[in-house]
Amino acid sequence: MSIASERIDRLEALAREAAAEGEDDRAREYVALARRIAERNRLRFPRSFERATCDRCDRYFRPGRNARVRLQDGHVVVTCECGAHHRYPYRS
C-alpha cells in the first residue's frame, strides 16, 4: 500500500470521527484533503469513503442529519443537504 493510500485511509477515519462528534467543518476539511491527495497521486477513493461523502460540497454523510437515504427500484439514492443526488446499485 502506498503512502498516499494510507494517508487517505487515515483521513477517512478522522472524518468519520469528526462527523460523529458533530464537527462538520473539520470533517469537510479531512474529506477535501483526502480528495486532493487522491487526485494528485491518481488514486481512486476507497468505495466506502466515496459513498460516504458528497462530491459537490465534500460533506461526510450522516444519514438522518445531513443526508437523506431512500431505496428505489434497484438502487439507493442519497440526497445531501446541498441538493446533490448520489445513486448506487443495491449490490457491490
Side-chain angles (χ1 to χ4, degrees):
M1 186 181 257
S2 70
I3 294 173
S5 58
E6 289 177 12
R7 178 80 170 148
I8 291 170
D9 289 341
R10 178 67 179 139
L11 287 168
E12 177 183 8
L14 289 172
R16 186 181 317 112
E17 291 171 12
E21 294 173 2
E23 298 176 1
D24 292 331
D25 292 334
R26 178 171 289 168
R28 224 181 235 177
E29 289 176 17
Y30 291 144
V31 171
L33 181 58
R35 197 175 302 276
R36 232 176 312 143
I37 290 170
E39 288 172 358
R40 285 184 183 165
N41 291 287
R42 295 178 153 224
L43 296 174
R44 284 190 60 118
F45 255 15
R47 181 174 287 173
S48 60
F49 199 24
E50 185 177 324
R51 292 188 178 184
T53 59
C54 180
D55 294 333
R56 190 192 297 179
C57 67
D58 288 335
R59 189 174 303 226
Y60 194 87
F61 292 142
R62 294 186 333 182
R65 301 265 177 149
N66 63 5
R68 186 177 69 202
V69 180
R70 297 290 185 258
L71 301 178
Q72 291 186 353
D73 297 327
H75 58 274
V76 178
V77 179
V78 180
T79 305
C80 182
E81 278 185 341
C82 70
H85 298 285
H86 306 280
R87 290 177 178 83
Y88 308 113
Y90 280 150
R91 297 182 187 213
S92 70

